[in-house]
Amino acid sequence: MTNKVLHVLYNDDDVLMDAVKKTRAAHHHIEEIYTPFPVHGLDKAMGLEPTRIAITSFLYGLVGLSVAVTMVRYMMIIDWPQDIGGKPSFSFIQNMPAFVPVMFEMTVFFAAHLMVITFYMRSKLWPFKKAENPDVRTTDDHFLMEVAAHGDVDQMVSFFENTGAVEVKVIEKH
């Protein structure tokens, strides 16, 4: 079964924001929006749920901190204790101020690297992946809103032309 979608092109981000609000008010389903740069507030205008990426970043930081504490304790206290600067080598707690930079750096390292991996997996951006951009102009200076077509397509086309669209195309999506 094939579905029809409308590719609605805009050449200004403010016009796009107004069009998204009008489109949502008219109860049309926005499939996706392609922009050449991030548009502040577009996610809220589209009605997208807030991201949980900050929570995952915090959890990845906790994993990094746990690995750092375990690593430093094993290396400096259990495996090969050394007397460095007269500090006692038998107590993790007494040596903790010396270990704080290592723990901080490992926390940041794990959070950053695991967030990048999570972003690529969530976005399905694999190495050598072919671009899914429907119109090459959206990488330069145009904004494309992909809207599911339902009901009277001609009425939808005129609706989007009235929102300030530069171009409206009806596409058969397989």
Side-chain angles (χ1 to χ4, degrees), residues 43 48-56 115 122:
D43 53 343
L48 298 177
E49 293 180 14
T51 180
R52 294 181 301 265
I53 205 154
I55 297 168
T56 59
M115 284 304 299
R122 184 76 176 115

Side-chain angles (χ1 to χ4, degrees), residues 116-136:
V116 168
I117 292 168
T118 301
F119 172 75
Y120 284 143
M121 289 175 62
R122 184 76 176 115
S123 302
K124 297 178 183 155
L125 290 174
W126 313 114
F128 310 109
K129 182 181 180 199
K130 187 176 181 275
E132 295 178 2
N133 214 4
D135 193 324
V136 72

Side-chain angles (χ1 to χ4, degrees), residues 52-121:
R52 294 181 301 265
I53 205 154
I55 297 168
T56 59
S57 180
F58 177 73
L59 294 175
Y60 292 154
L62 287 179
V63 169
L65 181 63
S66 302
V67 168
V69 167
T70 305
M71 178 187 77
V72 168
R73 184 177 180 277
Y74 176 76
M75 288 178 181
M76 299 300 288
I77 305 299
I78 297 171
D79 186 40
W80 195 351
Q82 299 177 36
D83 185 8
I84 300 172
K87 293 181 181 170
S89 58
F90 56 85
S91 171
F92 178 80
I93 296 298
Q94 288 177 327
N95 286 328
M96 180 116 85
F99 303 150
V100 167
V102 174
M103 293 187 294
F104 172 76
E105 291 298 332
M106 289 289 283
T107 301
V108 172
F109 178 85
F110 269 71
H113 285 79
L114 291 175
M115 284 304 299
V116 168
I117 292 168
T118 301
F119 172 75
Y120 284 143
M121 289 175 62

Side-chain angles (χ1 to χ4, degrees), residues 6 152-162 168-170:
L6 296 173
D152 187 10
V153 176
D154 293 330
Q155 184 181 6
M156 287 183 73
V157 169
S158 65
F159 169 79
F160 286 111
E161 286 173 348
N162 291 334
V168 180
K169 293 183 194 175
V170 180

